[in-house]
Amino acid sequence: MYAQLVETGVKRVKDLAEMTPEERAFQERIDAEIKIEPKNWMPDAYRQTLIRQISQHAHSEIVGMLPEGNWLTRAPTLKRKLQLMAKIQDEAGHGMYLYSAMETLGADRDTEIAKLHSGRAKYSSIFNYPTLNWADMGAVGWLVDGAAIVNQVVLQRTSYGPYARAMIRICKEESFHQRQGYEILLTMMRHGTQAQQDMVQDAINRLWWPALMMFGPSDADSPNSAQSLAWKIKRMGNDELRQRFIDQTVPQLEFLGCTAPDPDLKWSAARGHYDFGQIDWQEFYEVLKGNGPCNRERITTRRKALEDGQWVREAAVAHAAKRQQKQSTA
Amino acid sequence: MTDHHQDLSEYLLRLADNAMISGQRLCQWCGHAPALEEEMALLNVGLDLFGQARNWYEYAAELLADGRDADQLAFRRDERAFRNTLLVEQPNGDYAVTTAKLFLFDAWHFHTLSALSASSDARIAAIAAKGLKEVTYHLRRSGEWIERLGDGTEESHRRMLAANDELWRFTGDLLAGDEIQQRLARTGIAADSAVVAAAWQATVEQLFERASLPVPPPANYLYLDGKQGLHTEHLGILLAEMQFLQRAYPDATW
């Protein structure tokens, strides 16, 4: 999930009898699965929750360019280089698409980006892990985009229309990236040397748990989930999505001929699901707080890009004004 | 290999290396561009250039017929074997340097591919015609930025002047032809370097005037020659980074 912990600011979900007529009409519309559109009335907390979630999602796309960008200059073949460039370009596009969706709620892109750069807005914890070998490009595509897709496929039915439509478009491209990522790993496992196979297993060992953390805290520790589910911003609980991801990913892992760094991972015939080990929640919350391996580098890079580029943006604005003036006097 | 094939593969490597080294510099911008729109545009241009490089390398590999494929031509040659022009290997600098570098190259690339899309070699004509559509966009884009920065704020104007001052000395190498190119040009295969140079000059003068930038006099000879594999000190480091995996794991399949 690219927005794994979103405050709703709501302590308790109201029932219909407690609501104002406006709130009740809104909730009935939600319950009837009619999409909320930008000009419709909506509770302020719904608006703010969505701004937080969509901006987190957008920030994640943009910060998520960095771990992959780290290997862009070192991609090993022309084909892999072209694939990676296309993928990162798509991510920039997804970010812009999501910022547009967010702006339909009355939020301002620059303001929300400033919050990201000052540490007041979050992005997905996964992008705070370093990419240390080429197999990470495959593992990010397969596991990270895979986790994102499991989440985003469900969000195609989220109650806010512009967000749902963004998810439909984004999922199409993400699925393509995920298959490419898996193909990178499969090539290295099937046709690669021992050193390459070791890279693949090493990448999986490092990214497996961080990918599972993308679904956010366990439902029991997710106080915001109830309201987000009632508003149908979220459509499924964190644990359910995480389980779905594991169930579909373990067979792919086995097909690769790799293992997960989880001794407790095993099929449970009784549940019809894979059982898996305990996530290190302390690590999760620390990374989210800014104390992960790359948090500082990621934000510094983004902030520096914006600061270094300020004179460029100012020049573009000044030139546009001059051009407009020329046109109006001509 | 016949002398003609040798000339032709040499010429194709120049086209390929120019596109690829230019694209590699653009990869270094990823995550650092001044706006999200520019992140997309720079990657977009870089992607086009790598695609073109691959097409040229594949043709060169067929002519060379020495067992090397496009990837080996890209990732296993040393800097003395690289044939790109000095301009494209220069560091990115600030956005003015990158913009000037792109524009000066795009203008040359546009006129070169325009000529090559009428090449008597059908394969060259086809690759050039496809590339020309992309480079037409590149030139429009970099030209617009030359205008914005040249005729934007005082600071952007100052930075554009500094960028041109930094890069202009490499335009001599960019425009210079040689015996190989002229032999191929006489049979209608390659672009005539003098024709390209004249068209380039007109494009640059026109844009610089619109951007309120002076056009410097022709660059002095620099005693280096990218076409002969005589590069600046920047290329070796660029290749060390780009070729690392292929060099470290020569038996690997990626």
Side-chain angles (χ1 to χ4, degrees), chain A residues 30-209:
Chain A
I30 297 264
D31 293 342
E33 298 285 336
I34 301 168
K35 294 277 179 255
I36 307 299
E37 296 298 338
K39 287 181 177 166
N40 296 147
W41 184 90
M42 61 188 85
D44 193 50
Y46 176 86
R47 185 185 299 276
Q48 295 309 325
T49 300
L50 270 172
I51 290 172
R52 276 190 287 269
Q53 174 154 343
I54 301 174
S55 66
Q56 250 186 67
H57 199 151
H59 299 334
S60 300
E61 295 282 359
I62 302 307
V63 176
M65 294 166 68
L66 300 177
E68 290 176 316
N70 180 38
W71 279 89
L72 189 51
T73 55
R74 291 177 288 168
T77 66
L78 295 165
K79 175 179 150 187
R80 294 301 182 206
K81 176 94 86 178
L82 287 162
Q83 285 176 348
L84 192 58
M85 292 177 95
K87 181 181 180 194
I88 299 174
Q89 196 187 337
D90 282 348
E91 283 159 5
H94 295 172
M96 285 169 49
Y97 202 54
L98 284 160
Y99 283 127
S100 297
M102 179 200 76
E103 284 172 335
T104 64
L105 291 155
D108 172 64
R109 182 179 310 207
D110 293 342
T111 308
E112 297 305 316
I113 290 174
K115 283 185 195 165
L116 169 72
H117 292 179
S118 65
R120 282 176 294 149
K122 296 187 184 76
Y123 55 92
S124 180
S125 59
I126 191 74
F127 301 119
N128 292 309
Y129 290 85
T131 50
L132 300 178
N133 74 42
W134 171 255
D136 287 29
M137 296 305 99
V140 166
W142 170 47
L143 293 175
V144 175
D145 292 352
I149 291 165
V150 165
N151 184 254
Q152 290 173 165
V153 161
V154 185
L155 285 176
Q156 293 180 35
R157 295 187 293 115
T158 195
S159 58
Y160 188 59
Y163 194 27
R165 290 190 287 275
M167 289 300 102
I168 291 167
R169 270 175 68 153
I170 288 173
C171 275
K172 284 180 194 160
E173 292 183 346
E174 293 279 18
S175 306
F176 187 64
H177 300 157
Q178 196 210 8
R179 285 201 295 275
Q180 273 182 347
Y182 193 69
E183 197 256 338
I184 287 174
L185 300 182
L186 204 55
T187 303
M188 291 173 79
M189 289 306 293
R190 292 281 160 91
H191 309 290
T193 60
Q194 184 63 47
Q196 287 180 290
Q197 293 171 6
D198 293 346
M199 281 182 208
V200 174
Q201 184 62 58
D202 176 57
I204 293 169
N205 289 348
R206 285 180 287 107
L207 289 168
W208 181 263
W209 290 109

Side-chain angles (χ1 to χ4, degrees), chain A residues 78, chain B residues 20 57 70-77 82 242-243:
Chain A
L78 295 165
Chain B
M20 184 173 73
Y57 282 133
D71 281 323
Q72 283 165 326
L73 290 175
F75 294 96
R76 304 275 181 96
R77 278 181 304 142
F82 262 78
M242 189 180 81
Q243 298 179 335

